Amino acid sequence: MKMKKKHIRFPKRLNFNNGKVEMSHGSGGRAMSQLIEELFQDAFTNSYLRKNNDQAVLPVDKGKIAFTTDSFVINPLFFPGGNIGSLAVHGTINDLSMSGAEPLYLSAGFILEEGFPFSDLKKIIDSMAKTAENAGVKIVTGDTKVVHRGQADGLYINTTGIGVIPNNINISAERALPGDAILISGPIGDHGIAVMAEREGLSYSTSLVSDAASLNGLVKSMVEAVEDIHVMRDLTRGGLAAAMNEISTTAGVGMLIEESAIPVRPEVLAACEIFGYDPLNVANEGKLMAICPSETSEILLEAMTNHPLGVQSSIIGKVIEDEHSFVEMKTQLGGRRLVDWISGVQLPRIC
Amino acid sequence: MKMKKKHIRFPKRLNFNNGKVEMSHGSGGRAMSQLIEELFQDAFTNSYLRKNNDQAVLPVDKGKIAFTTDSFVINPLFFPGGNIGSLAVHGTINDLSMSGAEPLYLSAGFILEEGFPFSDLKKIIDSMAKTAENAGVKIVTGDTKVVHRGQADGLYINTTGIGVIPNNINISAERALPGDAILISGPIGDHGIAVMAEREGLSYSTSLVSDAASLNGLVKSMVEAVEDIHVMRDLTRGGLAAAMNEISTTAGVGMLIEESAIPVRPEVLAACEIFGYDPLNVANEGKLMAICPSETSEILLEAMTNHPLGVQSSIIGKVIEDEHSFVEMKTQLGGRRLVDWISGVQLPRIC
C-alpha cells in the first residue's frame, strides 16, 4: 500500500486549497490511492516510482537492489501474535520479498512520545531484534526522535529495507497476464481481526492470533520451485481486495476468483459478520498472493503448501482480459459480484 | 546523531522497569547516547551498527553502498530557508554524503495527522521534489499513514537513503588520527537559531535564514581534491560539539580547537547570548566537519572555499592523543575549556 495506482479515475480531484487529510487517506482504499496519485506520484515523478510496486527495484553497479519503506502506527502497540516492533520488521521484510529479493538490511527510525515507558520500549526493541535475527536480516542504521506528550501516541516506527534481487528474477505488478493463475498462501483476515479484537477488548480475542510473519523463507522456496513468477504481493492494508485491484489497474487486466477457494477461519468470518467487515478487505501481515503462468501453478502450489507458512495455500482464480480492470468473484451461492477497493475507513491504524 | 556511542560511561543505567522517555532522550546529548547504547545497540548488535557512523556502509555484490535513515519532527513545519520537506531531503542526502557516497535514491514515509491541510502538504511535497531534483537524487518509494487528531503534530516525515561509495573511498569516524587537521565548512548555528526565532515569533527572525542545504556537491569537490579524507560529519542535532565528541569517543582520540577560527554570524551569537545557548551545541543543516592528514589540509580547505557552500570554510584545530577522548577549545580570551556534549534538552524538535 505504497505510492501506487495510476489508471484509476476519481470523480473529483483533491482540493489543495481547502481540503484536509481525513482518516480515509490512510486506509488503503480509493482515498489513499487518490492522495498518492494526485500528490506524491505527481511530485516525485520517476520511472522507479511509477512501477507501482511496494518496493523500488534499483540498478546498483552490476546487480539490482530492492528498496522499500513503511511507517508503523498500529494501535494497540501489543496484540496477540506480536507488537509494533516485530510487525515493523516482518512488514518491511515482506515488502522486499515480494520483488523476489533476498532481504539483507533494515534501518529503524523511532518517533517516541515523551513519557513512554522504557519497559514497553525495551520489549518492542528486543522483539525487533529477535524477529530480524530469525529472518536472517540485519538492522544496520537508525534514528531516534522524541516529541512532547500529546504529539504522538506512544511510539511510531519506520523501517526501511534493502534486498538484493537475483539477476534472473523479474517480479512486478505490470507482468500479470490474462490466463495466469492467482494463488494465496493461506487463510485471510487474521491480523486485522486479532488487532481489532484486542483494541476493543473483546472476549474472543484469546482464540485468534495475528498471522504476522516474515515471508522471505516461503518466497525463497517459491522462486526456487518455478522459473517465472509474474507478480507477488503481500496482503496488508486493504487486504486481498486492495492487492488484486492494485495489480489489475497497474497491469491493465481483470481478475476472476472463486469465493469457495479462499480460506477464512470461522472466528474471522464470525467477527466480520458482527462488525460488518468483508474479509477480503481485512489486513494480513503474513500472507501473500502470487500470479504465475497456469502451466506452472500446480508446481508453485506444491512448493507453497510444503512450507510451514503456506500449508493452507490455494489457487483462487485467474487473470482475465478486462479493459475496466475489474476484479470479479464467483460467490458460494453461484452468483458473481464485483470485488471493490475498500471505501472510506474500515480499520484505522492496523499496521 | 544515530545509533552511536560505545565508550561512554553513564553514572546510572537506564531503568527498564520504571523509567520513561524524556525530551532529553531526543536531544543529541548524553541522554540520547545512553538510550542508543544501552537499548538499541545492545539489541541490534552487528558490526555495521557498531561503526558508529550516521550511515551504514554495506557490501552489495562488488561495490559498497551507504544506507541511512532520519525521521523529521521539526516545529514549526515552515521556517526561514525551508520546511520539513526540504529539510528531510537535505538531511538524508547529507548523512549519505558524509561517507563519501554519491546519494542516489530516497524513500519517503509520511505520518499525517487527521485534519492536516492539503495546501500545506502540497507545499511540503513540492518542496521535497524540487530539493531532490536539484541534488540529483530520486525519491523512489514511499508510504503514507494517517493517525487521528492529537496523535501527531501535523506531520512527520521519514526519509531513508541509498548511495554508492567509490571503491577507493573509506571515510569513517574511527579513522581520526592524532595530528590530523579539523576543518568546518562555514559559520555555525544558523539552522537552530532560525528555527528557534520562527517558533518563538521573534522579530529578528527575518534577518536569519536556516543553512539547510544538500552537501553532496561540496563533498564531491572535496573527495576529488585530496586522496584521503579520514572522517566527515554533518553538524546537525547537538551541533559541532556533539559531532566532535562522537568522533573522539569512537576513534579513541582527543581534539584541540581554536575558538577564534570558528565562524559564527553576529546575529547567531546575539541570539545565543539572549537564550543562554552555546553556538557549539546549536544544530546546522548545511555544514560539515572534515578530518584529514595535516599535509593535505590546505588543499582541502582551498577546494572547500571554492565551492559555493563552503566559502567561509576554515581549519579550526587538530586531533590529538587523549585517553579520555576530551575535546578542548582555546578560547578567544586565551584560556582553555572543555567542549562537552549538550546536557539535557536545549532545542527540541529542531529537525
Side-chain angles (χ1 to χ4, degrees):
Chain A
M1 228 69 47
K2 304 303 170 51
M3 291 185 179
K4 289 176 200 137
K5 250 59 48 25
K6 51 179 176 176
H7 306 295
I8 303 155
R9 296 285 169 268
F10 306 100
K12 271 172 78 173
R13 283 183 65 85
L14 293 178
N15 180 339
F16 287 116
N17 295 317
N18 303 311
K20 288 187 176 176
V21 172
E22 296 167 21
M23 290 305 295
S24 64
H25 291 116
S27 69
R30 277 191 197 277
M32 191 166 90
S33 294
Q34 185 175 18
L35 178 66
I36 289 166
E37 177 178 328
E38 295 182 9
L39 182 56
F40 298 114
Q41 284 205 335
D42 192 58
F44 302 149
T45 181
N46 62 63
S47 62
Y48 305 110
L49 196 58
R50 277 195 300 270
K51 285 270 186 184
N52 287 339
N53 288 314
D54 270 352
Q55 70 296 116
V57 174
L58 308 168
V60 175
D61 281 346
K62 290 168 188 168
K64 283 185 296 184
I65 65 171
F67 183 39
T68 190
T69 191
D70 222 334
S71 296
F72 294 84
V73 299
I74 191 167
N75 168 33
L77 297 174
F78 296 87
F79 52 83
N83 61 56
I84 189 172
S86 56
L87 185 66
V89 173
H90 289 312
T92 292
I93 286 175
N94 291 348
D95 276 343
L96 291 174
S97 302
M98 294 308 114
S99 67
E102 182 192 354
L104 295 176
Y105 306 113
L106 296 185
S107 66
F110 300 90
I111 297 174
L112 306 172
E113 186 184 14
E114 181 188 18
F116 189 72
F118 276 148
S119 54
D120 285 348
L121 185 58
K122 175 130 181 71
K123 274 182 219 152
I124 289 164
I125 299 298
D126 287 346
S127 169
M128 290 182 79
K130 195 177 152 205
T131 305
E133 193 186 347
N134 289 345
V137 169
K138 289 187 169 68
I139 298 172
V140 293
T141 190
D143 177 58
T144 308
K145 294 292 185 320
V146 179
V147 296
H148 287 285
R149 271 170 219 268
Q151 296 176 342
D153 190 16
L155 90 163
Y156 302 138
I157 301 177
N158 176 284
T159 46
T160 300
I162 295 177
V164 170
I165 304 177
N167 270 326
N168 58 331
I169 287 184
N170 177 16
I171 298 172
S172 190
E174 83 275 8
R175 296 195 64 220
L177 285 177
D180 284 355
I182 305 170
L183 298 87
I184 63 173
S185 66
I188 60 171
D190 296 8
H191 176 74
I193 298 301
V195 171
M196 184 69 189
E198 180 73 18
R199 193 187 294 172
E200 303 297 327
L202 297 177
S203 55
Y204 59 78
S205 66
T206 46
S207 68
L208 193 67
V209 169
S210 165
D211 62 331
S214 291
L215 296 173
N216 50 334
L218 173 61
V219 168
K220 190 161 186 282
S221 313
M222 292 168 66
V223 298
E224 284 170 3
V226 296
E227 211 167 276
D228 195 12
I229 297 172
H230 288 166
V231 187
M232 277 195 291
R233 187 68 59 114
D234 55 343
L235 310 176
T236 54
R237 237 185 327 170
L240 176 60
M244 290 191 299
N245 276 284
E246 287 160 19
I247 296 166
S248 294
T249 50
T250 300
V253 296
M255 293 187 188
L256 181 61
I257 60 169
E258 306 257 356
E259 186 173 23
S260 61
I262 302 171
V264 188
R265 292 183 206 283
E267 56 268 49
V268 170
L269 265 183
C272 282
E273 292 210 352
I274 294 168
F275 292 116
Y277 296 157
D278 183 339
L280 295 173
N281 294 139
V282 178
N284 312 270
E285 292 290 345
K287 296 296 177 328
L288 59 81
M289 66 178 285
I291 294 177
C292 74
S294 61
E295 309 86 78
T296 52
S297 60
E298 290 293 339
I299 303 169
L300 184 59
L301 180 65
E302 198 189 335
M304 289 168 72
T305 51
N306 284 339
H307 191 279
L309 292 175
V311 175
Q312 292 187 67
S313 295
S314 62
I315 298 175
I316 63 165
K318 60 185 178 184
V319 178
I320 58 174
E321 285 188 34
D322 182 356
E323 58 176 325
H324 301 295
S325 296
F326 285 154
V327 177
E328 277 193 291
M329 182 166 75
K330 286 189 202 162
T331 67
Q332 301 205 351
L333 300 172
R336 275 196 184 202
R337 75 165 172 95
L338 207 64
V339 176
D340 203 3
W341 303 81
I342 195 174
S343 66
V345 189
Q346 192 184 69
L347 286 168
R349 299 187 55 193
I350 204 69
C351 59
Chain B
M1 229 71 44
K2 302 303 170 52
M3 293 182 176
K4 289 178 202 136
K5 250 59 47 24
K6 51 181 178 176
H7 305 295
I8 302 155
R9 297 284 168 269
F10 305 100
K12 271 172 80 171
R13 283 183 65 84
L14 292 178
N15 179 341
F16 287 117
N17 296 317
N18 304 311
K20 288 186 176 178
V21 172
E22 296 167 20
M23 290 306 296
S24 63
H25 291 116
S27 70
R30 277 190 197 277
M32 191 166 91
S33 294
Q34 185 175 18
L35 178 66
I36 289 166
E37 178 178 327
E38 296 184 9
L39 183 56
F40 298 114
Q41 283 205 336
D42 192 59
F44 302 149
T45 180
N46 63 63
S47 62
Y48 305 110
L49 197 57
R50 277 195 300 270
K51 285 270 185 184
N52 288 340
N53 288 314
D54 270 352
Q55 70 296 114
V57 174
L58 309 168
V60 174
D61 282 345
K62 288 169 188 168
K64 284 185 295 184
I65 64 172
F67 183 40
T68 190
T69 191
D70 222 334
S71 297
F72 294 84
V73 298
I74 191 167
N75 169 31
L77 297 173
F78 296 87
F79 52 84
N83 61 57
I84 188 172
S86 56
L87 185 65
V89 174
H90 289 313
T92 293
I93 286 175
N94 290 348
D95 276 343
L96 290 174
S97 301
M98 295 307 114
S99 66
E102 182 192 354
L104 295 177
Y105 306 113
L106 296 185
S107 66
F110 300 90
I111 297 174
L112 306 173
E113 186 185 14
E114 182 186 17
F116 189 71
F118 276 147
S119 54
D120 284 348
L121 184 58
K122 175 129 181 71
K123 272 182 221 152
I124 289 164
I125 299 297
D126 287 346
S127 168
M128 290 181 79
K130 195 178 153 205
T131 305
E133 194 187 345
N134 288 346
V137 169
K138 289 186 169 66
I139 298 172
V140 293
T141 191
D143 178 60
T144 309
K145 294 293 186 318
V146 178
V147 296
H148 287 285
R149 270 169 220 270
Q151 296 176 342
D153 191 15
L155 89 164
Y156 302 138
I157 302 176
N158 176 284
T159 46
T160 301
I162 295 178
V164 171
I165 305 176
N167 270 326
N168 59 331
I169 287 185
N170 177 17
I171 298 172
S172 190
E174 82 274 9
R175 296 194 64 220
L177 285 176
D180 283 356
I182 304 170
L183 298 87
I184 62 173
S185 65
I188 61 171
D190 295 7
H191 176 75
I193 297 301
V195 172
M196 184 69 190
E198 180 72 18
R199 192 187 293 170
E200 303 297 327
L202 296 178
S203 56
Y204 58 79
S205 65
T206 46
S207 67
L208 193 67
V209 169
S210 165
D211 61 333
S214 290
L215 297 173
N216 50 334
L218 172 62
V219 168
K220 189 161 187 280
S221 313
M222 292 167 66
V223 297
E224 284 171 1
V226 296
E227 212 167 277
D228 195 13
I229 296 172
H230 288 166
V231 188
M232 276 195 291
R233 187 68 59 116
D234 54 343
L235 310 176
T236 54
R237 239 184 327 171
L240 176 60
M244 290 191 299
N245 276 284
E246 287 161 20
I247 295 166
S248 294
T249 51
T250 300
V253 297
M255 294 187 188
L256 181 61
I257 59 170
E258 306 257 357
E259 187 173 24
S260 61
I262 302 171
V264 188
R265 293 184 204 281
E267 54 269 49
V268 169
L269 265 184
C272 282
E273 292 211 350
I274 292 168
F275 293 117
Y277 296 157
D278 183 339
L280 295 174
N281 294 139
V282 178
N284 313 268
E285 292 290 345
K287 295 296 178 325
L288 60 80
M289 65 179 285
I291 295 177
C292 73
S294 61
E295 310 87 77
T296 53
S297 61
E298 291 292 340
I299 303 168
L300 184 59
L301 180 65
E302 198 189 335
M304 290 168 71
T305 50
N306 283 340
H307 191 278
L309 292 175
V311 175
Q312 292 187 65
S313 295
S314 62
I315 297 173
I316 63 165
K318 60 185 178 185
V319 178
I320 57 174
E321 286 188 34
D322 182 356
E323 57 176 327
H324 301 295
S325 296
F326 285 153
V327 177
E328 278 194 290
M329 182 166 76
K330 287 190 202 161
T331 67
Q332 301 205 352
L333 299 172
R336 275 196 184 202
R337 75 166 173 94
L338 207 63
V339 176
D340 203 2
W341 304 80
I342 193 174
S343 66
V345 189
Q346 193 184 70
L347 286 169
R349 300 186 55 194
I350 204 71
C351 59

